[in-house]
Amino acid sequence: MGKEESGMNSTEVEALLERAATQIMLGENAETVATLALLSSISIPAEAMQLVVELHAVAKDNVSEENQWEDEASRARVEQGLDRLRQILSDSAKGNDPVAQRVATPAQATSSALNQDPELVGDFILEAREHLQTVESGLLILEKEPTNPETLNAVFRSFHTIKGLAGFLEFAHIQAVSHEVETILDLARTGQLVLSPNLVDLTLESADFVGKEVLRIESQLHGQDPGEEQDPWSLLDRVRKVIAGDHSASAEPKIETPARVDGPKPAAPTPAVASVAPVASVTPVASVNPVVEVPQPEIAAKTAEESAPAGTATSQDAKAKKAVATDTHAIRVDTAKLDYLLDMVGEMVIAESMVRLDPDLSGTKNTRLQRNLNQLRRVTEEVQKVAMATRLIPVGTLFQRVNRLVRDTSRKAGKMADVELVGEDTQLDKTIIEELTDPIMHMVRNSIDHGIEAPADRVQAGKPQSGRVQLKAYRQADHIQIEIVDDGRGLNKDKILAKARERGLVGDTVNMTDSEIFQLIFEPGFSTAEKVTDISGRGVGMDVVKKQIQKLRGKIEIKSTQGEGPTFYLKLPLTLAIVDGLVVGVGKERYILPICPDGG
């Protein structure tokens, strides 16, 4: 049967391939068998036909009556076979020349009926960011454990899902890059390739490319200027050379002598939105209509009352599992609606208090009225508790971003550093987490640039060659405390005091405590750095950090031991929503003292 008889052209064959890949991804396994059967009935090149027949037989024999695969190996075999089939058809139509491959990859679609559907595109943006977060956290694990099968599969599936969704919506650049990187990861899964640091760099660079494309799509979705279109060809050529066996085409090599300050530049940092999951929206950029996930009321109420203890840092395997876990008890709600709901709950709480404390009612002897007012109070308190819980998200969503920051910054500075995260499940107000992003990122950069010593200096001082940056979060009474610790050289109080006196901030005869001296680093323009780098040293940033913390009704304290490292304590309120208070009168003055929810 020829193409004319089958009535299918190459575009329709490609659509069938994408349909089969999407059906596997969505668990529509019986439909996958049917699609493969349809592919085997049309005219395609002999090599492709042989592969289709084989894949159809594997799928037919291994999909059970319950629409499930008998084993994971058969599913993976069909997925890989579809990728191979796509390559065979592409090579048959265009040849195996790199220039022809560029022609074979369609231009970025802008007029597809599907990718003009705002709801579909919005869902794609959210899912892509979830998967990019999984990719980034997984790759940082694979850099240390390149053969970790669980993490490899998680990263592979994330790229596979992004590729399938992008193909469905005809975002061709994202589809092309994801498809090629997926091949590298598949080679690693099957033991044909080891993910060296160079390949991790290349894969991270590819994830960054996808993240920037997602940001461009989001800008277009909201009628904003998406900026200059990215050129994927250089990246695609490097990835394809790696697939062909030329590993020298991967990203620039990792620093072999960590003590060198003039090491190569790291991969481009992830854009602020590239790794943002919907449940953990952190400083959304160019997002007109962001979405958050809201837990069910019974879960939210429990979360609001629980005190999240400071746990230990999760293992690498546990992080990989957590990265791909999905919450089946969550729905997506427009943040504008959620914020309006929270505002109305706040107004309801105030109105209930005004009614209950009204002099005409508070003095009444009507027991039924009093009972009804008490019931109203209990219901109002429960509604307030649940509403406040919807604002709370794990602080780990912010902490996880530090992994990539420490990796890139330490490589750029020619140093070595590991990250330890403690208390990632501690809940904090979404707005506070958004506002904390820049301050914490700045402080961690300072820890690497100013605090952590070069490997040779650390060895000479009797320390491990690799430094440690620890982020810890835990609840204390009515506030959350975040600690940022590093085991570097610590703050030099004599140097700080000398610099302050030189600038006229402190008189020569003034005696100051260590705590007061350390607070001087928050003065505008204050810096003890001997040279300015592209990371820090200009004396800007720490004053902004303090102002941002104070804006959130928090405070920041410092303790430091010379040679052992500093600890920064950030004390922040649980939420910026309404809290109960006690009105106290002193003469003509009235004061409101916040009441600790734990009774402290």
Side-chain angles (χ1 to χ4, degrees):
M1 182 185 295
K3 285 185 181 180
E4 292 77 17
E5 287 180 80
S6 68
M8 287 199 178
N9 55 34
S10 59
T11 302
E12 290 169 326
V13 172
E14 177 69 20
L16 279 178
L17 281 173
E18 288 302 330
R19 183 198 299 177
T22 303
Q23 286 167 341
I24 291 180
M25 179 182 66
L26 297 176
E28 299 172 351
N29 303 315
E31 289 82 354
T32 304
V33 177
T35 303
L36 289 171
L38 181 57
L39 272 170
S40 65
S41 68
I42 63 177
S43 177
I44 53 179
E47 184 183 2
M49 176 60 73
Q50 181 180 353
L51 182 56
V52 169
V53 172
E54 179 186 339
L55 294 178
H56 178 242
V58 172
K60 186 177 180 181
D61 293 343
N62 288 278
V63 172
S64 66
E65 294 180 357
E66 291 78 22
N67 199 28
Q68 299 296 324
W69 290 94
E70 297 290 352
D71 57 74
E72 183 63 26
S74 59
R75 170 184 168 134
R77 184 177 173 185
V78 173
E79 285 182 332
Q80 295 166 22
L82 288 173
D83 290 337
R84 174 63 182 154
L85 183 60
R86 185 182 293 105
Q87 189 65 49
I88 291 173
L89 293 173
S90 176
D91 291 348
S92 175
K94 302 293 182 181
N96 202 20
D97 175 62
V99 175
Q101 287 183 358
R102 292 190 180 189
V103 177
T105 304
Q108 188 78 22
T110 56
S111 59
S112 165
L114 288 174
N115 65 33
Q116 295 302 305
D117 186 323
E119 185 175 351
L120 285 176
V121 175
D123 288 343
F124 167 74
I125 291 169
L126 291 172
E127 280 208 56
R129 286 177 177 164
E130 287 178 348
H131 289 295
L132 286 170
Q133 186 180 43
T134 300
V135 166
E136 184 171 302
S137 60
L139 287 172
L140 295 178
I141 294 171
L142 290 173
E143 190 168 35
K144 298 178 181 178
E145 304 174 36
T147 58
N148 185 316
E150 188 173 359
T151 308
L152 259 174
N153 285 327
V155 175
F156 173 84
R157 291 207 173 280
S158 290
F159 268 112
H160 181 75
T161 303
I162 291 173
K163 180 196 74 173
L165 294 172
F168 181 67
L169 293 174
E170 299 183 21
F171 295 129
H173 289 173
I174 295 178
Q175 180 188 14
V177 171
S178 300
H179 171 66
E180 300 296 350
V181 175
E182 180 188 29
T183 304
I184 290 181
L185 293 169
D186 187 50
L187 292 173
R189 289 199 310 165
T190 56
Q192 302 175 56
L193 184 68
V194 176
L195 280 181
S196 65
N198 295 356
L199 291 179
V200 171
D201 281 342
L202 181 61
T203 311
L204 282 170
E205 186 178 343
S206 302
D208 291 342
F209 175 92
V210 173
K212 291 174 183 176
E213 282 299 296
V214 170
L215 180 57
R216 292 185 68 255
I217 292 169
E218 185 181 45
S219 298
Q220 282 184 317
L221 179 64
H222 299 305
Q224 301 170 356
D225 180 12
E228 186 177 351
E229 185 175 8
Q230 296 185 96
D231 180 5
W233 304 122
S234 174
L235 179 61
L236 284 171
D237 287 344
R238 289 162 57 202
V239 174
R240 285 166 178 163
K241 286 178 182 177
V242 170
I243 295 171
D246 181 7
H247 294 177
S248 63
S250 59
E252 293 180 348
K254 187 178 180 179
I255 300 170
E256 297 296 337
T257 307
R260 288 180 57 191
V261 177
D262 58 342
K265 294 182 179 180
T270 303
V273 299
S275 60
V276 178
V279 72
S281 177
V282 183
T283 316
V285 179
S287 177
V288 177
N289 191 25
V291 177
V292 297
E293 291 186 1
V294 183
Q296 290 183 341
E298 60 270 20
I299 299 173
K302 182 178 178 182
T303 303
E305 294 175 350
E306 287 179 346
S307 172
T312 57
T314 56
S315 67
Q316 301 289 15
D317 287 343
K319 288 179 182 177
K321 292 178 183 178
K322 189 175 180 180
V324 295
T326 56
D327 185 359
T328 57
H329 299 288
I331 59 173
R332 287 174 177 148
V333 179
D334 191 313
T335 51
K337 296 179 181 177
L338 181 61
D339 289 340
Y340 183 72
L341 171 65
L342 294 171
D343 288 342
M344 290 299 99
V345 169
E347 293 296 331
M348 182 183 71
V349 171
I350 294 173
E352 183 273 333
S353 299
M354 292 172 62
V355 171
R356 180 167 47 83
L357 300 176
D358 187 280
D360 294 336
L361 292 179
S362 60
T364 183
K365 302 299 182 181
N366 189 322
T367 55
R368 187 176 65 178
L369 178 59
Q370 288 294 338
R371 186 169 61 249
N372 291 341
L373 288 173
N374 289 334
Q375 176 65 14
L376 175 62
R377 180 183 182 183
R378 283 193 294 270
V379 172
T380 304
E381 287 177 348
E382 285 302 312
V383 172
Q384 182 188 16
K385 192 180 297 182
V386 173
M388 289 176 64
T390 62
R391 299 180 66 100
L392 302 179
I393 58 176
V395 74
T397 57
L398 170 59
F399 282 6
Q400 288 296 335
R401 298 183 64 194
V402 173
N403 282 300
R404 176 76 183 273
L405 177 69
V406 169
R407 174 191 183 273
D408 289 348
T409 306
S410 59
R411 285 163 63 90
K412 194 168 189 176
K415 300 177 180 180
M416 300 173 65
D418 296 318
V419 181
E420 182 181 350
L421 306 178
V422 180
E424 298 170 85
D425 293 332
T426 304
Q427 303 279 317
L428 192 57
D429 191 291
K430 179 179 73 74
T431 303
I432 294 179
I433 286 184
E434 291 174 355
E435 297 292 337
L436 271 180
T437 302
D438 288 342
I440 287 185
M441 294 300 175
H442 182 85
M443 294 171 73
V444 170
R445 274 194 296 266
N446 275 359
S447 293
I448 300 297
D449 197 36
H450 297 310
I452 301 294
E453 308 96 333
D457 295 336
R458 290 183 61 84
V459 171
Q460 188 176 359
K463 298 181 179 180
Q465 192 177 38
S466 180
R468 178 179 61 88
V469 176
Q470 183 188 65
L471 270 73
K472 183 188 299 185
Y474 52 92
R475 178 155 172 196
Q476 276 195 342
D478 62 339
H479 67 272
I480 293 292
Q481 183 147 305
I482 296 177
E483 297 180 10
I484 303 174
V485 187
D486 70 68
D487 64 348
R489 59 174 59 93
L491 297 179
N492 189 327
K493 62 179 182 181
D494 295 331
K495 192 173 183 179
I496 293 173
L497 187 58
K499 188 72 174 181
R501 285 175 173 162
E502 177 186 325
R503 292 190 52 195
L505 297 175
V506 179
D508 294 337
T509 59
V510 174
N511 293 322
M512 303 179 71
T513 64
D514 289 357
S515 179
E516 291 172 336
I517 293 174
F518 295 149
Q519 288 292 321
L520 291 171
I521 68 172
F522 296 112
E523 291 294 324
F526 189 90
S527 176
T528 58
E530 296 177 358
K531 63 178 181 179
V532 175
T533 69
D534 56 356
I535 301 175
S536 59
R538 299 184 184 277
V540 295
M542 290 305 287
D543 59 320
V544 178
V545 166
K546 186 174 182 178
K547 289 176 182 176
Q548 192 75 354
I549 299 300
Q550 290 176 337
K551 175 184 173 183
L552 296 172
R553 301 205 304 262
K555 61 180 180 178
I556 182 168
E557 299 175 356
I558 306 173
K559 290 183 181 178
S560 180
T561 302
Q562 186 70 26
E564 296 182 9
T567 300
F568 292 82
Y569 299 92
L570 279 61
K571 295 186 177 181
L572 299 154
L574 269 175
T575 177
L576 298 179
I578 293 175
V579 295
D580 291 332
L582 176 66
V583 180
V584 179
V586 179
K588 295 182 179 180
E589 301 293 335
R590 293 292 181 271
Y591 302 93
I592 299 179
L593 305 178
I595 298 175
C596 173
D598 294 337

